[in-house]
């Protein structure tokens, strides 16, 4: 009987989200889910202890809908993880690179390897999931077809890696948040992050005034994004990351000033800054 705790993620085994789980929580059993909603629900219902959710990528920006899902989930951010997106070309064992006529991968991976594919004259085809494309090759024995995916996908489905790190850009990184049912407000390291959402009051220059407290108290805000709420142009919610812990006096003062100008302020999580944060 497998009694390891579970960590849920969206995608197939071998996906980059699985890679994030493997790297950040190696003692946890990965639980693949079809959607972000299903991933969150797995933690809500107790099917998993943690959820690994991607929030942004250095090439493609924020992940669609994720900022809406986080505040509504009832879960809490307990950690962050950065995964460098290395792309490998894989195929069935015994297949050589010059036999590959077509590669399949998620739509966002194909342009990231365009130079390599063009050089070899290999055609790219979009797939719903890169790890799923690797699984299909193994399942159907496709000899002239390769997949672009993570090294973990090759290991998972018994494929051979024909070329590693073929991405055009050397900085492509995805940031993930690890979510749990209960918050962890303990100070776990010298560098801490605090994430929260808020809605400003309907008064002139409310956002400008609300942000002033962070500047005057020397609190670094690393992210501030806005998005509509309930499809209304007049209801805007803001998502923010700041450096520091709510127990820090500077953070306390900044949040107190922010609260004065807001109708709603919810802390989503307090967690250590990942060492790869730059």
């Amino acid at each position: 009987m497998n009694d390891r705790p579970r960590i849920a993620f969206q995608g197939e085994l071998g996906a980059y989200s699985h890679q994030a789980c493997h790297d950040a929580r190696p003692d946890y059993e990965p639980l693949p889910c079809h959607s972000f909603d299903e991933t969150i629900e797995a933690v809500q219902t107790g099917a998993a202890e943690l959820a690994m959710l991607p929030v942004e990528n250095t090439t493609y920006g924020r992940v669609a809908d994720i900022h809406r899902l986080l505040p509504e989930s009832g879960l809490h951010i307990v950690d962050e993880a950065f995964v460098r997106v290395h792309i490998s070309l894989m195929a069935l064992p015994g297949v050589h690179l010059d036999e590959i006529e077509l590669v399949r991968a998620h739509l966002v991976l194909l342009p990231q390897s365009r130079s390599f594919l063009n050089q070899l004259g290999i055609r790219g085809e979009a797939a719903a999931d890169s790890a799923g494309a690797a699984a299909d090759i193994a399942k159907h024995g496709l000899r002239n077809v390769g997949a672009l995916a993570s090294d973990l996908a090759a290991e998972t489905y018994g494929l051979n890696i024909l070329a590693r790190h073929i991405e055009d850009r050397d900085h492509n990184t995805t940031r993930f948040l690890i979510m749990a049912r209960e918050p962890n407000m303990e100070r776990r390291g010298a560098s801490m992050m605090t994430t929260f959402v808020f809605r400003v009051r309907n008064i002139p220059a409310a956002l400008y005034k609300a942000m002033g407290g962070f500047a005057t108290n020397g609190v670094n805000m690393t992210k501030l994004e806005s998005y509509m709420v309930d499809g209304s142009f007049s209801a805007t919610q803001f998502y923010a990351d700041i450096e520091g812990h709510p127990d820090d006096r500077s953070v306390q003062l900044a949040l107190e000033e922010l609260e004065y100008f807001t109708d709603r302020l919810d802390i989503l999580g307090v967690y250590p800054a990942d060492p790869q944060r730059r």
Side-chain angles (χ1 to χ4, degrees), residues 74-210:
L75 304 183
H76 305 271
I77 305 168
V78 295
D79 228 331
E80 68 176 352
F82 288 76
V83 172
R84 175 72 171 80
V85 180
H86 287 302
I87 303 173
S88 291
L89 170 58
M90 59 200 66
L92 290 173
V95 173
H96 299 287
L97 185 58
D98 57 9
E99 297 179 65
I100 300 299
E101 300 173 2
L102 171 72
V103 296
R104 303 187 72 242
H106 189 280
L107 183 63
V108 301
L109 286 193
L110 292 173
Q112 296 179 40
S113 304
R114 182 176 290 114
S115 296
F116 178 87
L117 297 179
N118 288 346
Q119 182 180 356
L120 295 179
I122 299 175
R123 183 166 56 90
E125 181 179 275
D129 182 272
S130 292
D136 284 343
I137 291 173
K139 180 179 179 180
H140 300 292
L142 305 174
R143 289 193 58 84
N144 65 334
V145 179
L148 302 182
S150 68
D151 287 5
L152 184 58
E155 178 184 335
T156 300
Y157 300 110
L159 301 180
N160 280 355
I161 296 176
L162 303 179
R164 280 187 168 87
H165 302 179
I166 63 173
E167 60 273 11
D168 294 340
R169 301 182 182 183
D170 60 2
H171 61 74
N172 192 2
T173 301
T174 299
R175 178 187 178 219
F176 292 83
L177 296 176
I178 302 176
M179 313 285 291
R181 288 185 293 277
E182 299 297 331
N184 185 348
M185 303 292 287
E186 294 181 5
R187 191 184 295 275
R188 294 170 284 148
S191 300
M192 298 292 293
M193 302 292 298
T194 298
T195 295
F196 54 90
V197 293
F198 64 95
R199 299 184 195 180
V200 294
R201 295 166 55 195
N202 189 22
I203 58 176
L207 179 60
Y208 173 79
K209 295 173 182 176

